[in-house]
Amino acid sequence: MGKIKIEKKDIWIDMTPMSDVMTLLLCFFMLTSTFLTPEPVKVNTPGSVSEVKVPENDVLNILVSPEGHIYVGSENKNTMLEMMQTVTDKFGVSLTGEKLKHFREDAMIGAPMALFESYYALDTEKMSEEIQKLSIPLDSIDGGKSEFQEWVTAARDANPDIRLAIKADAKTSYAVIKKMMSELQDMNENRYQLITNLDTKKQAEI
């Protein structure tokens, strides 16, 4: 019996609809994504079972490094500028030109007022190295507020609805955390959130 030859045909699939869908998905994720603000130092937060999320807006982030260095910052650049203007006016410091540009590009504030101008006079690469050695002082000035308290007060003045969120490293000294919280209490700032990692093992045990 003779073999029947089947005519071979090329299969062509139109991929245009697929590329359109991929483009729409890419645009969707880009528009709905929240970009994380780069932090001056790496912080490994302790674990907890709390699932309460920190708000994305109207938050003053307080970062504490393993060495006990303290930084403050907000996602809102207008709030950051108002904070800077309030504090620098009080200490007689001024940022103009390139220094002001560097401040606008900086994610968090960590330089003490004594080094504020010289820090923002550095180039961007040098700033990222130097900030890891700096910290906002917790010591009071002439029996008054500390620089840390001045920054928190300036943030509250810039945005009365701002909330405080503390992100400290698991290895940070307890004495530093206690002193910082005591300064917040002296300002009647008794409500703040602690940023932690969700410990799934402890949560499962509960």
Side-chain angles (χ1 to χ4, degrees):
M1 183 176 179
K3 294 182 179 180
I4 301 175
K5 292 184 179 180
I6 301 175
E7 184 179 354
K8 294 182 179 180
K9 294 183 178 180
D10 293 332
I11 300 175
W12 180 80
I13 301 175
D14 187 4
M15 296 297 291
T16 304
M18 180 65 74
S19 62
D20 291 342
V21 171
M22 292 300 295
T23 303
L24 288 173
L25 286 173
L26 179 61
C27 292
F28 171 77
F29 286 120
M30 288 179 65
L31 292 172
T32 57
S33 296
T34 301
F35 296 96
L36 296 176
T37 302
E39 296 175 342
V41 293
K42 185 178 181 181
V43 170
N44 296 316
T45 54
S48 74
V49 296
S50 175
E51 296 186 28
V52 178
K53 293 184 178 181
V54 177
E56 295 181 2
N57 302 317
D58 297 332
V59 176
L60 178 68
N61 296 300
I62 303 171
L63 186 71
V64 189
S65 74
E67 296 78 20
H69 297 168
I70 296 176
Y71 311 89
V72 298
S74 172
E75 298 287 340
N76 190 320
K77 290 299 181 182
N78 291 329
T79 299
M80 288 274 284
L81 281 172
E82 288 186 44
M83 289 167 57
M84 182 270 292
Q85 290 169 355
T86 299
V87 177
T88 52
D89 286 347
K90 186 161 189 175
F91 285 87
V93 176
S94 178
L95 294 185
T96 56
E98 198 70 17
K99 296 177 186 178
L100 182 59
K101 179 184 176 182
H102 286 170
F103 178 85
R104 291 176 181 271
E105 295 171 351
D106 210 6
M108 301 191 84
I109 302 164
M113 296 311 298
L115 302 174
F116 207 72
E117 289 187 73
S118 60
Y119 168 70
Y120 285 108
L122 301 172
D123 56 55
T124 306
E125 185 177 346
K126 189 67 177 177
M127 282 173 60
S128 61
E129 296 177 5
E130 194 67 21
I131 192 64
Q132 300 182 37
K133 308 172 189 176
L134 303 177
S135 172
I136 296 177
L138 290 174
D139 299 323
S140 61
I141 305 169
D142 297 329
K145 291 182 178 180
S146 66
E147 288 188 24
F148 171 71
Q149 290 176 320
E150 292 289 357
W151 283 112
V152 175
T153 301
R156 181 67 68 192
D157 291 341
N159 182 359
D161 297 324
I162 203 165
R163 285 162 285 188
L164 308 183
I166 300 173
K167 183 177 181 180
D169 194 273
K171 297 181 180 179
T172 303
S173 170
Y174 173 72
V176 175
I177 302 297
K178 182 180 179 182
K179 185 174 182 180
M180 181 185 64
M181 289 183 174
S182 295
E183 294 214 349
L184 291 175
Q185 290 175 351
D186 291 343
M187 303 169 62
N188 293 322
E189 292 286 355
N190 299 311
R191 298 187 65 181
Y192 42 79
Q193 292 177 287
L194 300 176
I195 300 176
T196 57
N197 285 325
L198 182 63
D199 193 326
T200 54
K201 291 183 179 179
K202 289 183 179 179
Q203 192 181 43
E205 292 174 0
I206 295 175

